[in-house]
Amino acid sequence: MGELRILLEKSIETIKTDGPGVWMQKAKKYAALREDRKTRENADRTFADVLFINGCLLPHPPRYRVTHQREQLLAADLSSNEVNFADLTLDLVRLYRVFIFFRCPYTDTIGQFIQAAREEHKTVLYDVDDLVIDAAYTKSIAYLDTLPKEEQEAYYEGLLRNRCTLELCDGAITTTERLAEELKKYVPYVYINRNTASEEMLYLSEKAQETEKRAEGKVRLGYFSGSITHNDDFDLILPVVSKLMACYPNLELLLAGELDLPENLQAWKDRIEYIPFGDWRKLPGMIARADINLAPLTDNLFNEAKSENKWVEAALVKVPTIASRVGAFAHSITHGSNGMLCASPQEWEEALRLLIENEELRTQIGNNAYTYCRKHRTTIYTAVPFANEIRRLMHPNLVFIVPVLQISGGLAVILKHCTVLKKAGYDVAIINQGFEKKTYIEKDGVNIGVINFNHTSIAVSIDRAVATLWTTYRFFEIYAKIARRYYLVQGYETDFSPVGNGSRIAANRTYCSTIPVQYLTVSKWCCQWLKQQYGQSAGYVQNGLDTRQFYPVKRDWSGRKIRILVEGSSADFYKNVDESFRIVNLLDLEVYEIWFLSYQGEPKKEYHVDRFFHKVPYEEVADVYRSCDILLKSSLLESFSYPPLEMMATGGYVVAAPNEGNVEYLADGVNCLFYTHADLKTASDAIARISNDAPLRERLYENGLRTAAEREWGRIVGEIVRMYEM
């Protein structure tokens, strides 16, 4: 359905509720809203808890159901944003944990958005404050019968599309018990969060109490209709009001909003003040001028579902309300204490006479209503229950903080953990402290949302946050809204830099945390030094491998050069790539071809390289391994050394210097050949042995495949999930 059609239906809704006299004003406001991109930009640049999607063209309902509910959440430390339904884009799915659609009609974008949100384990709710979800509920609105047939059809189609969106959601939020009862026919879960007054409303109301003075010797009845659909409601008490106007010469009537002045009140028009529709900020002052607030409602299902706003607005300026004993009024008002309830013309007349004649009772009821509503119908005092319910509905989220998105074995592990956790039902995201512009990163067919730390305001509540390098640990110190902190240690980062580099001290301090942090690792060696050197107990899960990607190919050794692969960053001293190329210089280059695979540094001028592979996408790395015969790996330090395992899985052979990160699974003469660091001759001899000894190759091949199979990811996914639930 096109946006123009939607706007037509929204316009009809506006005309239906506010009348054609004010439709142009609201249309101009809507146009200004669409031109002002600030709201949209805020939504697009914030990682937060809740996004409200406003589908209502009228100004009054979104104020209560979007602005005021956002204030409630803020008062209870949940962050939120809002966007107009016409500005909704799929990219917003990754930026929020909960989505609340307020009166939103179904569109293709909304349908796709909700589907995407479900796949990302987000919570999707529908908020509605009237029974505008089915034609059966609105047929009692007499004004609709005055609209042309085509406008009626468009209006009812809009109701149907409201219901379509509702039925796609996980549940609903609404304002009253009767409305909740009906909504349960469409969704399995409904939460009642009554309309509440904002801090600004309360401030304006208390200011109005001080500045507005009621007329001495007069009693003024106030009726604040808001929309022309309330004409039928006022007709309910019109005979009583007319009778009392004749009976009490000091009785005046204040009419505000889009209400037509009835013919049988014309006789007292000199005692009737009419105030047209205006800014809501003026409403407290208007109500404060009245002595009695009138809130009649015809008794039908649509009105039973309505909220008690009129009572609350009057209560905040200490004006007593007489209301119909219908729906939320009947639920909220205690008759004779904080308001008056009436179910018949006779009761209306009795209640009105009582309050007209008894100023003390008016004051008492007004004060009682004020005391109650100030504590039970304002945003701050009702914030915690609503926010707690939103928190309860959130899927647990888990956020990894990474320094960059550049290809590395460490990032591959992180992404694998992300996919496992997402498949287990977690709302998973990555906060990237680098400057890459990716918004999603794919692993094993699963998309993980990426939040750019440098361009996004972080305001979300995080159930579990995971630092992944010493540079990311700082996030724990500057961001407080984290329930549980984890540090995934994949190496002794103190020694990642040469002596004299200040980052050694910065890295070392992260193992001495004064912040409650659960250390995690994928290396038994890391478990040992964390405990022995720093007294930190770490959760452990072994590293794995996708053997579907790293499948084996038996090497053919005849009729071609033997291909040696050197892997590692020449920019990182602990990778010790220089030593690998010193070993290469001892080889007969008529027999051997040298390939170099690096994620960061490039070949130095003294390196002999026949073919260089730089920043190869991880999904293509296995092809590079399968194209080579022997991996030469000289690293001084590794937490868990992936390249030897990956090479063995593809059917290749490994010559490596033992370190803490590879002895966990490598065994000399079993699945690899070891050499001692700086013993270049032993390394070149090992390469020659593999090249010339077929039985040795067969043994290394079989044992290498067995080692890789024992590390298959599918065997350890349950352990990964359990580790992050420590």
Side-chain angles (χ1 to χ4, degrees), residues 166-205:
L166 166 68
E167 291 177 327
L168 289 176
C169 294
D170 300 314
I173 305 173
T174 194
T175 51
T176 68
E177 287 75 13
R178 192 67 179 92
L179 190 45
E181 184 181 335
E182 294 303 314
L183 290 174
K184 287 176 182 177
K185 298 175 181 178
Y186 303 93
V187 288
Y189 160 85
V190 180
Y191 178 73
I192 298 173
N193 186 38
R194 295 186 181 281
N195 281 338
T196 56
S198 66
E199 279 289 282
E200 185 178 9
M201 279 183 66
L202 183 58
Y203 169 77
L204 293 172
S205 296

Side-chain angles (χ1 to χ4, degrees), residues 9 42 91 133 171 221 226 241 298 301 316 327-328 342 345 376 477 513 546 633 725:
E9 292 164 3
N42 285 341
D91 186 57
I133 53 171
L221 307 180
V241 171
T298 54
L301 179 56
L316 293 180
C342 304
H376 300 282
E477 298 175 322
S513 179
D546 185 352
K633 191 69 175 166
E725 293 176 346

Side-chain angles (χ1 to χ4, degrees), residues 574-624:
Y574 68 93
K575 292 293 185 179
N576 202 25
V577 171
D578 289 357
E579 181 169 291
S580 291
F581 280 100
R582 287 196 293 271
I583 295 168
V584 165
N585 290 337
L586 300 179
L587 300 177
D588 182 352
L589 297 180
E590 294 296 321
V591 176
Y592 297 99
E593 179 181 344
I594 312 303
W595 285 17
F596 179 30
L597 173 63
S598 173
Y599 296 123
Q600 301 298 330
E602 298 189 5
K604 298 180 181 179
K605 62 181 180 180
E606 64 268 26
Y607 292 178
H608 175 88
V609 178
D610 293 302
R611 190 169 179 186
F612 175 53
F613 296 86
H614 193 218
K615 297 183 179 180
V616 176
Y618 187 72
E619 59 271 16
E620 299 175 14
V621 168
D623 294 329
V624 177

Side-chain angles (χ1 to χ4, degrees), residues 472-505:
T472 68
Y473 177 87
R474 175 67 175 155
F475 185 80
F476 289 167
E477 298 175 322
I478 64 174
Y479 193 72
K481 296 175 66 174
I482 304 172
R484 302 177 72 174
R485 293 168 172 82
Y486 299 85
Y487 186 6
L488 179 60
V489 178
Q490 296 197 69
Y492 188 46
E493 295 166 7
T494 300
D495 282 352
F496 277 13
S497 301
V499 173
N501 188 311
S503 61
R504 287 168 55 82
I505 292 175

Side-chain angles (χ1 to χ4, degrees), residues 708-726:
E710 291 170 352
R711 293 276 175 166
E712 167 58 38
W713 279 120
R715 298 162 65 103
I716 58 176
V717 291
E719 296 176 33
I720 292 172
V721 174
R722 286 189 290 274
M723 184 174 74
Y724 288 96
E725 293 176 346
M726 294 180 63

Side-chain angles (χ1 to χ4, degrees), residues 317-356:
V317 290
K318 297 184 179 180
V319 173
T321 294
I322 304 177
S324 293
R325 194 184 297 273
V326 173
F329 286 135
H331 180 274
S332 299
I333 295 175
T334 300
H335 181 68
S337 175
N338 59 8
M340 304 288 282
L341 293 170
C342 304
S344 68
Q346 180 181 348
E347 290 182 359
W348 271 97
E349 182 175 346
E350 291 172 356
L352 277 165
R353 286 185 181 276
L354 182 62
L355 291 189
I356 290 169

Side-chain angles (χ1 to χ4, degrees), residues 449-479:
V450 177
I451 312 301
N452 190 291
F453 181 79
N454 298 292
H455 299 125
T456 307
S457 173
I458 311 294
V460 71
S461 55
I462 301 175
D463 297 327
R464 292 170 172 83
V466 187
T468 60
L469 192 73
W470 69 267
T471 55
T472 68
Y473 177 87
R474 175 67 175 155
F475 185 80
F476 289 167
E477 298 175 322
I478 64 174
Y479 193 72

